[in-house]
C-alpha cells in the first residue's frame, strides 16, 4: 500500500468542502494516486434520505462557512480590525502546567484500566444506495480509516502507572510518526487517543486520564502549527504578529487540508478535541477565524451526553482559547453558562446508575468536576471586571444548593473578591445540602481565599465561629485536618493567643484517638509554619507560648517526620527572630525542639545531616541572651552542654559563648565587685577547661585552649591561663600527620605551624610561673616540637625555630611590644635581669645551631632550593631582630645571604628590595654599622 501523506492539495476553496451537499457533477483527480481513489470523472445526482442530521448537509455547515471565509473578508471586518491584538496572559495567571501535576497526584485509582485503540479499516461496510460520496470525500475517509498497522489493539488490566506509561508511548509514537513523514498515522493516533476520553468505566481516574490524553493533543497541535509556520518562513521567518497576508498559498492549502481531514472524523468527541488542538492554525487562514470557530466548538459540546465528559471538553476548549486568544471572553462565558445548564444532568438516573455500578459515592463523584470547573472559572475570572464576577456569583445563587459550583467559584475567583463577600459566601454554604458535597470542603476553599486576603474586620470573628462550628464536627480525622490546617493561618493572623490555643487543643483532641495523627503527618506539618514569611513567624511565636504546643509536637511520633518538623521550626525562628530573647517559655520550647533534633543523631547519621542540625542549634544558642544576668547565661550554657553533647560544633559554639561572656563581664563590671567578677570568670574558665577535652578534633582543642587561655589572661586569671596553655602544649604530640579537610586527606603541617605561630605570639605576655623556672612554656613548646614526628624531608621543625627567634628577641627588650592591662609580664618580673637575658641568649644560640646544622644537612642532600629558602628566612630574622654590630652575627648574616643566593633560587625582586631596605636603614641614626655589611651583599644569578 502506498503511504498517505497530508501534503498540500490543490483545492478549489470556493467550490469544495467535504460536508457540502452530496450532489457532484465533476471531480478532479488529486496529485498522485491513493488507495481506493479513481481518476475518472463521475457524475451523480441523488439526494440524501431525510435524517436528523440532514440540516448539517445543506451547504451552510460551519466548515463551509469557514471555507468561504478564506476567500473573502466578512462584512464586519472594520469592527474586528479595531479589536486589540491577541495578548498573551501575564505571569499572574496560574498556568495549566502547575495544575497538571496536582491533578495526577490527586485523582488516582487501584482499579484495572484498559486502552482500546481501533485502527482498522471499515471500507468493506455497505453504503446506502441513496448516498453518493464525492471522490475527495471518499479519499479522505479512506485515509482516516486505513493505517498500515490496521488492527484493533486492546490493552487490558493495566495499573495506573502502566496506563500512564502506555499513553506516553503513544505520545512518542506520534512524534516518531511525524518525524518520519507519516502524517496520517500521527492523526490516527490522536483520533484514537481522543476517543479514550469518552470512556468513563473507571470514573475516579477520569481527570488524570484527561491530563494524559490532552498532553498528546497539545503535542499534535504544536507539530501541525510548527510545520505550517515553517512553510511560511521561506525566504525569511514569519514574524510573531503576522497577518493572513504574510502566509503563502502553499501554507494556506496545507492548513485547510488539515481542517478538512479533521472535519471528516465521524465521531463528535475526537473531531471536537482534534480541531481544538489545532485551533491556533486558524491564524494562517483568516483573521477572524478563531473568533468564529470558538462559538461553533462551544456549541458542539452540547451534543456530548455525559456531563463529566462535557465539562472536561469545555475545560480543554477554554484552555486552548486562553492560549490562542485570551481577549475573546465571550466564548469563555458561554462555556460557563452552558455548564450551568447541564448541572441538572449530574443527578440524572443514568449518572446515578453508573455510580452505583462503579460503587462511587456522589460526594466523590462531584469532586471529579472540580479541576474542570475551577479551570473554566479561572479563565473567566482572569482580569475580569468586578461586575462580571458579581453577575456570575448571582447566577450561582439562583441555581441554589450547588456546592460543587460554589466550591469552584471560591477557589477560582480573586481572593480579594471572595474575602470582601465572605459573609455572603457563608450564607450560600449554609444553604447547600450536606449530602451532595461536604460543607467542610466549602469552608476549606473559603479559608484558602481568606489566607491570601483579609475580610472586613467586623466580620472576622463571625467568620471564624461559623467555619469552626462545621470543621469541629467533622468525624473523619483526615477530612478534619485537611480543613483545619487551612484555618490555622487565618486564626493566627487576626486573633490572639487564646484562639490559637483553642485551635491547637481541638486539633489534638481530634487527631490523638486511635493514633490518627500517624496518617496525617503532612497536614500536621503545615499547621506548624515552615514558610519564611513574617506571618508564619508570628504564628510560631504564638504557638510556642501556648500550653498546647509541646503536646501538639508530641503527635509526631515518627522520628524522621518529627525531626523535619523541628528543623522547619528552627529555620523560621532563626531567620525571623531579630531580637535576642530570654523568655523562659520560648527557651523551654526551643530547647525541647533542639533536643529532639540532637537525640536523632546516631552512628548512621551522615556528616552533612549532623552539620545541618548543629547549625540550627547554634543559631538558637546565639539568639539567647540574659542581658547582665551573667550567671543565668552561664547556667544556660551548662544545660546546653549536657543536652547537646553529641554535636561537636555546638560544644565549640558554647565554649566561644562562654569566653565572650567572660570578656563581657570584665567590660561591664570593670571596677565593680571585682571579687565576684573574678569568681565568675574563673567559673567560665572551668567550664571551658572541662568541655574542651570532650572534643574529638585536635585542632579545635588546640585553638580553644589558646583562646580560653587568652581570655583568662585578659581577666587576670593567671593560673587558669597557665593551665590552658600547658594543656595545649601537652597535646601537641597527638596531632596526626594528616587530617581530613572537606573529605580529603591533607597534611597537617600547615595547620600546626599556624597554631604554633599564634601560640608564640601569646607567650610574649605570659609571665613565668615562679615554680617552673625561666621561660618554661617556651622551652616546653620547643621540646615538644623537637620530639614531634614530622614528615620526611620536612623543614617544619626548623621553621618553628626560626619563628621562635623573634619572640626571644622581643622578650629581651626593656619594654615589650604589647601587654595585657593589670598583668605583669616578664619585662616587669625580671626588669632586664642579666641572668634572664643570658637564658634568652643561650636559647637563641641553641636554636641557631640547630638551624645551621639542618642547612648543612640540606647541602649534603643536594636540597639546594630548600636550603636557600631557609637561609634567606633566617637572614631576614637576623636583619630585623639581632644586633648586627656583633661581628659574629654580622658575618653569619652575610654567609646566610650568600648561601641563599648561591644557586640562584632566591627571587631577584625580593633580594633587590631587601638590599634597598638595608641601604635605606644605613641612613638612620645608630645604623651606620650596616654600611659595611651591605657592601658584602651581592646578587648572584642562577648558573
Amino acid at each position: 500500500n502506498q503511504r498517505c501523506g497530508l501534503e498540500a492539495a490543490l483545492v478549489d476553496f470556493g467550490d469544495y468542502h467535504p460536508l457540502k451537499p452530496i450532489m457532484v457533477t465533476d471531480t478532479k483527480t488529486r496529485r498522485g494516486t491513493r488507495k481506493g481513489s479513481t481518476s475518472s470523472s463521475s457524475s451523480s445526482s441523488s439526494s440524501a434520505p431525510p435524517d436528523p442530521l440532514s440540516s448539517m448537509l445543506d451547504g451552510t455547515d460551519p466548515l463551509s462557512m469557514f471555507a468561504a471565509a478564506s476567500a473573502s473578508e466578512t462584512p464586519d471586518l472594520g469592527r474586528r480590525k479595531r479589536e486589540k491584538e491577541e495578548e498573551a496572559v501575564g505571569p499572574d495567571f496560574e498556568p495549566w502546567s502547575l495544575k497538571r501535576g496536582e491533578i495526577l497526584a490527586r485523582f488516582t485509582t487501584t482499579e484495572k484500566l484498559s486502552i482500546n485503540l481501533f485502527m482498522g479499516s471499515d471500507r468493506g461496510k455497505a453504503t446506502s444506495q441513496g448516498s453518493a460520496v464525492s471522490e475527495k470525500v471518499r479519499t479522505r475517509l479512506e485515509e482516516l480509516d486505513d493505517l498500515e498497522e490496521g488492527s484493533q489493539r486492546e490493552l487490558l488490566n493495566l495499573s495506573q502507572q502502566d496506563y500512564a506509561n502506555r499513553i506516553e508511548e503513544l505520545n512518542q509514537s506520534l512524534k516518531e510518526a511525524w518525524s518520519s513523514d507519516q502524517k496520517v498515522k500521527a492523526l490516527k493516533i490522536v483520533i484514537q487517543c481522543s476517543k479514550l476520553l469518552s470512556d468513563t468505566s473507571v470514573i475516579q481516574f477520569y481527570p488524570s486520564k484527561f491530563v494524559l490524553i490532552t498532553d498528546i493533543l497539545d503535542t499534535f497541535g504544536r507539530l501541525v502549527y510548527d510545520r505550517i509556520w515553517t512553510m511560511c518562513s521561506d525566504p525569511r521567518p514569519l514574524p510573531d504578529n503576522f497577518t493572513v497576508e504574510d502566509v503563502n498559498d502553499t501554507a494556506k492549502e496545507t492548513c485547510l487540508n488539515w481542517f478538512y481531514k479533521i472535519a471528516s472524523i465521524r465521531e463528535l468527541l475526537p473531531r471536537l478535541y482534534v480541531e481544538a488542538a489545532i485551533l491556533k492554525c486558524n491564524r494562517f487562514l483568516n483573521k477572524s477565524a478563531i473568533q468564529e470557530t470558538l462559538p461553533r466548538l462551544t456549541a458542539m459540546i452540547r451534543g456530548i451526553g455525559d456531563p463529566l465528559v462535557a465539562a472536561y471538553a469545555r475545560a480543554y476548549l477554554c484552555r486552548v482559547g486562553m492560549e490562542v486568544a485570551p481577549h475573546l471572553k465571550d466564548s469563555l462565558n458561554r462555556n460557563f453558562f452552558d455548564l450551568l445548564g447541564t448541572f441538572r444532568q449530574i443527578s440524572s438516573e443514568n449518572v446515578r446508575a453508573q455510580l452505583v455500578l462503579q460503587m462511587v459515592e456522589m460526594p466523590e463523584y462531584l469532586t471529579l468536576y472540580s479541576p474542570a470547573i475551577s479551570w473554566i472559572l479561572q479563565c473567566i475570572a482572569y482580569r475580569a471586571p468586578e461586575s462580571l464576577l458579581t453577575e456570575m456569583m448571582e447566577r450561582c445563587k439562583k441555581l441554589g444548593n450547588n456546592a460543587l459550583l460554589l466550591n469552584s467559584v471560591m477557589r477560582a475567583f480573586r481572593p480579594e473578591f471572595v474575602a470582601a463577600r465572605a459573609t455572603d459566601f457563608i450564607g450560600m454554604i449554609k444553604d447547600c445540602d450536606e449530602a451532595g458535597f461536604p460543607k467542610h470542603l466549602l469552608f476549606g476553599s473559603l479559608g484558602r481565599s481568606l489566607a491570601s486576603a483579609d475580610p472586613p474586620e467586623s466580620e472576622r470573628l463571625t467568620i471564624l465561629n461559623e467555619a469552626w462550628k462545621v470543621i469541629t464536627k467533622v468525624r473523619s480525622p483526615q477530612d478534619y485536618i485537611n480543613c483545619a490546617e487551612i484555618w490555622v493561618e487565618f486564626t493566627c493572623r487576626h486573633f490572639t493567643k487564646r484562639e490559637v490555643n483553642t485551635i491547637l487543643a481541638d486539633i489534638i483532641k481530634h487527631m490523638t484517638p486511635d493514633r490518627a495523627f500517624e496518617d496525617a503527618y503532612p497536614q500536621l506539618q503545615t499547621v506548624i509554619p515552615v514558610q519564611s514569611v513574617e506571618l508564619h513567624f508570628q504564628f510560631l511565636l504564638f504557638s510556642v507560648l501556648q500550653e498546647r504546643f509541646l503536646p501538639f509536637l508530641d503527635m509526631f511520633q515518627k522520628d524522621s517526620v518529627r525531626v523535619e518538623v523541628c528543623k522547619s521550626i528552627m529555620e523560621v525562628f532563626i531567620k525571623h527572630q531579630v531580637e535576642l530573647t530570654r523568655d523562659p517559655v520560648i527557651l523551654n520550647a526551643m530547647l525541647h525542639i533542639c533536643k529532639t533534633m540532637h537525640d536523632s543523631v546516631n552512628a548512621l547519621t551522615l556528616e552533612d545531616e549532623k552539620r545541618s542540625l548543629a547549625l540550627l542549634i547554634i543559631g538558637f544558642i546565639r539568639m539567647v541572651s540574659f542581658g547582665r544576668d551573667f550567671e543565668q547565661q552561664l547556667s544556660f550554657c551548662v544545660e546546653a552542654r549536657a543536652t547537646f553533647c553529641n554535636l561537636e560544633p555546638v560544644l565549640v559554639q558554647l565554649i566561644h559563648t562562654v569566653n565572650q561572656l567572660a570578656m563581657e563581664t570584665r567590660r561591664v563590671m570593670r571596677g565593680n565587685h571585682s571579687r565576684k567578677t573574678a569568681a565568675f570568670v574563673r567559673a567560665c574558665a572551668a567550664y571551658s577547661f572541662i568541655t574542651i577535652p570532650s572534643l574529638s578534633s585536635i585542632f579545635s582543642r588546640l585553638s580553644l585552649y589558646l583562646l580560653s587561655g587568652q581570655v583568662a589572661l585578659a581577666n587576670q586569671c593567671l593560673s587558669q591561663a597557665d593551665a590552658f596553655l600547658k594543656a595545649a602544649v601537652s597535646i601537641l604530640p597527638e596531632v596526626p600527620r594528616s587530617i581530613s579537610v572537606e573529605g580529603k586527606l591533607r597534611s597537617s603541617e600547615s595547620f600546626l605551624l599556624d597554631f604554633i605561630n599564634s601560640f608564640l605570639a601569646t607567650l610574649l605576655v605570659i609571665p613565668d610561673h615562679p615554680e617552673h623556672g625561666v621561660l618554661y612554656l617556651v622551652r616546653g613548646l620547643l621540646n615538644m616540637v623537637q620530639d614531634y614526628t614530622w614528615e620526611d624531608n620536612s623543614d617544619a621543625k626548623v621553621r618553628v625555630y626560626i619563628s621562635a627567634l623573634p619572640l626571644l628577641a622581643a622578650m629581651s627588650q626593656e619594654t615589650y611590644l604589647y601587654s595585657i592591662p593589670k598583668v605583669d609580664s616578664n619585662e616587669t618580673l625580671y626588669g632586664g635581669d642579666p641572668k634572664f637575658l643570658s637564658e634568652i641568649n643561650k636559647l637563641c644560640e641553641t636554636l641557631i645551631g640547630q638551624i645551621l646544622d639542618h642547612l648543612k644537612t640540606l647541602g649534603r642532600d643536594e636540597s639546594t632550593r630548600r636550603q636557600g629558602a631557609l637561609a634567606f628566612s633566617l637572614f631576614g630574622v637576623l636583619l630585623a631582630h639581632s644586633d648586627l654590630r656583633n661581628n659574629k652575627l654580622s658575618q653569619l648574616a652575610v654567609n646566610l645571604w650568600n648561601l641563599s643566593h648561591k644557586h640562584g633560587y632566591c627571587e631577584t625582586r625580593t633580594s633587590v628590595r631587601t638590599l634597598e631596605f638595608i641601604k635605606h636603614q644605613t641612613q638612620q641614626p645608630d645604623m651606620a654599622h650596616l654600611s659595611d655589611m651591605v657592601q658584602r651583599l651581592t646578587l648572584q644569578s642562577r648558573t
Side-chain angles (χ1 to χ4, degrees):
N1 294 336
Q2 184 173 350
R3 181 173 294 132
C4 299
L6 286 173
E7 296 302 326
L10 294 178
V11 181
D12 187 348
F13 301 155
D15 295 335
Y16 171 73
H17 189 275
L19 297 183
K20 274 191 173 184
I22 311 177
M23 294 180 66
V24 183
T25 58
D26 182 59
T27 58
K28 297 180 180 181
T29 57
R30 302 178 64 86
R31 285 178 297 179
T33 59
R34 297 179 185 233
K35 184 175 181 179
S37 66
T38 175
S39 60
S40 61
S41 299
S42 63
S43 172
S44 64
S45 177
S46 62
S47 59
D51 62 79
L53 297 180
S54 59
S55 61
M56 297 302 295
L57 300 175
D58 61 359
T60 60
D61 64 279
L63 279 181
S64 297
M65 296 169 60
F66 163 75
S70 66
S72 62
E73 293 290 337
T74 54
D76 56 347
L77 175 63
R79 176 179 60 80
R80 287 197 296 271
K81 283 189 174 180
R82 290 191 298 269
E83 292 180 351
K84 64 179 180 179
E85 294 295 327
E86 296 175 3
E87 297 177 357
V89 293
D92 54 335
F93 183 82
E94 184 178 4
W96 174 257
S97 58
L98 295 182
K99 296 182 179 295
R100 179 185 181 278
E102 178 185 345
I103 295 173
L104 290 174
R106 179 182 175 190
F107 297 97
T108 60
T109 182
T110 57
E111 298 290 330
K112 293 301 181 180
L113 304 166
S114 63
I115 298 178
N116 192 339
L117 301 178
F118 182 73
M119 296 184 176
S121 173
D122 61 355
R123 284 174 296 157
K125 294 181 181 179
T127 307
S128 61
Q129 294 180 352
S131 66
V133 182
S134 71
E135 196 66 29
K136 291 182 179 179
V137 174
R138 183 184 300 115
T139 300
R140 295 185 190 282
L141 294 176
E142 288 172 352
E143 288 175 349
L144 291 176
D145 286 337
D146 183 52
L147 189 67
E148 284 184 351
E149 288 81 3
S151 63
Q152 182 167 353
R153 183 183 179 192
E154 187 172 17
L155 301 174
L156 303 175
N157 297 322
L158 298 177
S159 67
Q160 177 180 322
Q161 186 59 50
D162 292 336
Y163 189 95
N165 293 339
R166 296 300 182 272
I167 296 298
E168 178 58 28
E169 290 174 6
L170 288 172
N171 202 352
Q172 294 300 320
S173 298
L174 167 65
K175 296 176 184 177
E176 292 170 3
W178 189 272
S179 62
S180 61
D181 203 30
Q182 299 182 62
K183 303 301 187 298
V184 175
K185 179 180 178 181
L187 180 57
K188 289 282 289 188
I189 291 173
V190 175
I191 293 172
Q192 295 302 322
C193 289
S194 301
K195 289 181 180 180
L196 295 176
L197 289 174
S198 63
D199 176 20
T200 58
S201 57
V202 184
I203 201 166
Q204 60 266 43
F205 184 66
Y206 190 84
S208 292
K209 179 195 289 188
F210 170 80
V211 169
L212 297 172
I213 299 299
T214 52
D215 283 349
I216 295 180
L217 289 165
D218 294 341
T219 300
F220 178 71
R222 285 193 298 270
L223 292 172
V224 174
Y225 185 86
D226 291 345
R227 178 171 182 265
I228 300 174
W229 176 284
T230 304
M231 297 174 69
C232 300
S233 299
D234 187 18
R236 58 180 180 273
L238 201 63
D240 291 337
N241 57 346
F242 70 90
T243 62
V244 178
E245 289 74 19
D246 298 323
V247 181
N248 58 48
D249 291 341
T250 304
K252 289 180 180 178
E253 291 173 359
T254 302
C255 186
L256 275 172
N257 197 29
W258 276 110
F259 281 107
Y260 292 157
K261 292 285 187 185
I262 293 169
S264 302
I265 300 174
R266 290 192 173 94
E267 295 184 27
L268 171 62
L269 194 66
R271 184 168 71 248
L272 169 70
Y273 269 108
V274 179
E275 183 173 356
I278 67 166
L279 179 67
K280 190 176 182 180
C281 294
N282 282 280
R283 292 185 61 193
F284 298 110
L285 299 174
N286 191 320
K287 181 179 179 181
S288 61
I290 293 177
Q291 185 174 357
E292 296 168 355
T293 302
L294 281 172
R296 176 172 58 80
L297 294 178
T298 300
M300 288 173 62
I301 298 177
R302 299 172 187 171
I304 300 175
D306 191 307
L308 183 64
V309 176
Y312 277 92
R314 289 188 174 93
Y316 185 70
L317 185 58
C318 289
R319 176 157 76 86
V320 174
M322 284 297 289
E323 293 172 358
V324 175
H327 62 282
L328 298 179
K329 295 288 188 179
D330 289 344
S331 64
L332 298 176
N333 298 341
R334 176 47 53 196
N335 267 289
F336 175 69
F337 295 140
D338 282 356
L339 181 65
L340 295 184
T342 62
F343 273 158
R344 61 179 177 271
Q345 292 180 272
I346 294 177
S347 56
S348 67
E349 289 299 326
N350 289 338
V351 172
R352 291 184 180 276
Q354 185 181 21
L355 297 184
V356 171
L357 182 64
Q358 298 193 39
M359 293 184 292
V360 175
E361 298 293 333
M362 180 59 73
E364 181 183 0
Y365 173 69
L366 292 179
T367 60
L368 302 178
Y369 286 84
S370 295
I373 298 177
S374 297
W375 178 260
I376 295 172
L377 287 170
Q378 177 185 327
C379 295
I380 295 173
Y382 180 66
R383 296 180 180 175
E386 197 89 354
S387 58
L388 176 61
L389 299 183
T390 304
E391 177 190 354
M392 297 177 65
M393 181 178 172
E394 292 301 322
R395 289 212 181 193
C396 294
K397 278 185 179 180
K398 291 179 181 179
L399 278 179
N401 190 28
N402 200 312
L404 170 64
L405 178 61
L406 180 59
N407 183 66
S408 298
V409 165
M410 289 189 292
R411 301 193 70 164
F413 281 15
R414 290 189 294 271
E416 295 78 11
F417 180 90
V418 176
R421 298 161 179 80
T423 303
D424 293 338
F425 278 104
I426 287 178
M428 296 169 66
I429 292 173
K430 287 182 176 179
D431 293 338
C432 290
D433 184 8
E434 180 76 22
F437 197 95
K439 288 185 179 180
H440 69 270
L441 296 180
L442 298 176
F443 275 108
S445 297
L446 178 61
R448 288 187 181 90
S449 295
L450 299 184
S452 303
D454 297 334
E457 185 174 358
S458 59
E459 302 175 7
R460 292 172 185 171
L461 183 57
T462 302
I463 292 171
L464 179 61
N465 287 334
E466 292 293 336
W468 210 258
K469 284 179 185 177
V470 175
I471 297 171
T472 194
K473 293 179 181 178
V474 178
R475 294 184 178 181
S476 167
Q478 194 67 40
D479 292 341
Y480 168 83
I481 194 60
N482 285 338
C483 192
E485 63 169 318
I486 300 170
W487 284 87
V488 164
E489 188 173 312
F490 174 79
T491 307
C492 172
R493 179 159 48 186
H494 299 299
F495 298 96
T496 63
K497 303 172 185 176
R498 183 173 66 87
E499 286 80 9
V500 175
N501 194 37
T502 302
I503 295 285
L504 290 178
D506 196 58
I507 292 175
I508 295 171
K509 176 183 175 182
H510 278 79
M511 303 306 296
T512 301
D514 299 324
R515 300 177 68 87
F517 52 77
E518 293 182 346
D519 298 323
Y521 284 141
Q523 292 84 353
L524 290 173
Q525 283 180 266
T526 61
V527 173
I528 295 181
V530 297
Q531 301 298 324
S532 302
V533 293
E534 189 63 29
L535 166 66
H536 285 155
F537 180 63
Q538 292 172 357
F539 172 49
L540 175 62
L541 284 184
F542 277 159
S543 297
V544 298
L545 293 174
Q546 304 309 311
E547 62 183 28
R548 299 288 184 177
F549 175 69
L550 293 182
F552 178 85
L553 195 61
D554 287 339
M555 286 195 296
F556 295 96
Q557 297 290 315
K558 190 175 181 180
D559 290 342
S560 59
V561 176
R562 187 181 180 89
V563 171
E564 287 302 316
V565 171
C566 292
K567 288 171 65 176
S568 300
I569 294 174
M570 290 309 304
E571 287 170 358
V572 177
F573 181 82
I574 292 169
K575 184 167 186 176
H576 294 287
Q577 178 67 27
V578 179
E579 298 179 353
L580 303 179
T581 184
R582 60 183 298 175
D583 186 287
V585 178
I586 293 179
L587 294 185
N588 180 58
M590 292 301 164
L591 273 173
H592 178 81
I593 292 170
C594 290
K595 185 177 187 302
T596 300
M597 296 191 297
H598 169 271
D599 292 348
S600 69
V601 175
N602 53 46
L604 300 179
T605 304
L606 299 176
E607 289 300 320
D608 286 345
E609 178 68 8
K610 289 183 182 179
R611 192 178 301 111
S612 173
L613 295 175
L615 287 175
L616 291 174
I617 297 175
I618 289 171
F620 161 64
I621 291 172
R622 289 174 176 172
M623 299 307 302
V624 177
S625 174
F626 291 88
R628 293 195 175 186
D629 191 348
F630 302 121
E631 293 183 357
Q632 186 65 33
Q633 186 83 33
L634 182 59
S635 297
F636 169 79
C637 291
V638 172
E639 181 182 359
R641 178 180 62 187
T643 304
F644 309 124
C645 57
N646 291 330
L647 291 175
E648 187 163 307
V650 178
L651 297 180
V652 171
Q653 176 61 42
L654 287 171
I655 295 171
H656 281 289
T657 300
V658 169
N659 283 324
Q660 293 171 0
L661 185 62
M663 295 302 294
E664 183 68 10
T665 303
R666 174 176 174 270
R667 184 185 67 81
V668 174
M669 305 299 291
R670 184 177 298 164
N672 299 322
H673 311 290
S674 57
R675 183 174 299 176
K676 183 177 180 180
T677 302
F680 179 79
V681 171
R682 286 195 292 272
C684 291
Y687 178 96
S688 299
F689 197 78
I690 293 172
T691 309
I692 293 174
S694 64
L695 303 179
S696 61
S697 171
I698 183 66
F699 283 103
S700 293
R701 280 185 279 158
L702 286 172
S703 61
L704 288 173
Y705 273 134
L706 178 58
L707 174 64
S708 300
Q710 293 168 342
V711 170
L713 187 65
N715 285 280
Q716 300 95 46
C717 296
L718 300 183
S719 59
Q720 283 77 14
D722 190 71
F724 280 118
L725 298 180
K726 285 173 61 178
V729 172
S730 67
I731 65 172
L732 280 177
E734 300 177 20
V735 176
R737 294 173 61 175
S738 61
I739 58 174
S740 176
V741 179
E742 296 180 354
K744 298 180 180 179
L745 284 179
R746 291 182 54 185
S747 171
S748 63
E749 276 192 3
S750 60
F751 300 97
L752 183 56
L753 289 177
D754 289 341
F755 168 77
I756 291 175
N757 288 334
S758 299
F759 194 89
L760 290 171
T762 303
L763 290 181
L764 178 63
V765 294
I766 299 294
D768 283 338
H769 195 285
E771 298 179 1
H772 296 119
V774 179
L775 302 177
Y776 83 100
L777 279 176
V778 177
R779 295 178 187 277
L781 174 65
L782 294 176
N783 288 336
M784 286 295 181
V785 171
Q786 176 71 30
D787 296 337
Y788 183 76
T789 305
W790 299 93
E791 292 185 13
D792 297 336
N793 299 320
S794 171
D795 301 323
K797 179 170 66 174
V798 175
R799 291 192 177 278
V800 173
Y801 293 161
I802 294 175
S803 298
L805 292 175
L807 169 65
L808 296 173
M811 285 182 166
S812 66
Q813 305 299 311
E814 294 182 1
T815 302
Y816 285 0
L817 297 173
Y818 47 86
S819 61
I820 303 295
K822 298 183 181 181
V823 174
D824 293 333
S825 302
N826 285 339
E827 60 176 333
T828 303
L829 293 181
Y830 295 110
D833 187 289
K835 292 183 179 180
F836 176 66
L837 297 178
S838 176
E839 290 294 329
I840 292 177
N841 289 333
K842 290 180 181 178
L843 192 52
C844 288
E845 290 175 2
T846 301
L847 294 178
I848 292 175
Q850 294 278 355
I851 297 169
L852 294 178
D853 289 342
H854 185 70
L855 291 176
K856 292 177 182 177
T857 302
L858 293 178
R860 290 194 298 268
D861 296 342
E862 297 185 355
S863 300
T864 53
R865 182 182 292 275
R866 291 164 54 199
Q867 183 189 55
L870 290 174
F872 194 79
S873 296
L874 181 57
F875 170 80
V877 170
L878 295 179
L879 180 63
H881 302 286
S882 67
D883 184 2
L884 293 179
R885 286 172 295 191
N886 184 303
N887 291 334
K888 290 185 178 180
L889 288 176
S890 177
Q891 185 59 47
L892 176 60
V894 172
N895 292 341
L896 290 170
W897 174 274
N898 293 333
L899 180 61
S900 63
H901 290 76
K902 181 177 180 180
H903 300 283
Y905 290 121
C906 192
E907 187 177 353
T908 303
R909 181 183 301 178
T910 304
S911 300
V912 171
R913 293 180 63 180
T914 303
L915 283 176
E916 292 175 351
F917 170 76
I918 298 173
K919 291 176 182 178
H920 177 74
Q921 289 294 101
T922 59
Q923 308 299 322
Q924 305 297 324
D926 300 329
M927 291 293 180
H929 60 279
L930 294 178
S931 300
D932 178 60
M933 187 185 77
V934 77
Q935 299 295 331
R936 294 183 287 166
L937 301 180
T938 59
L939 293 175
Q940 298 181 17
S941 60
R942 184 181 302 176
T943 56

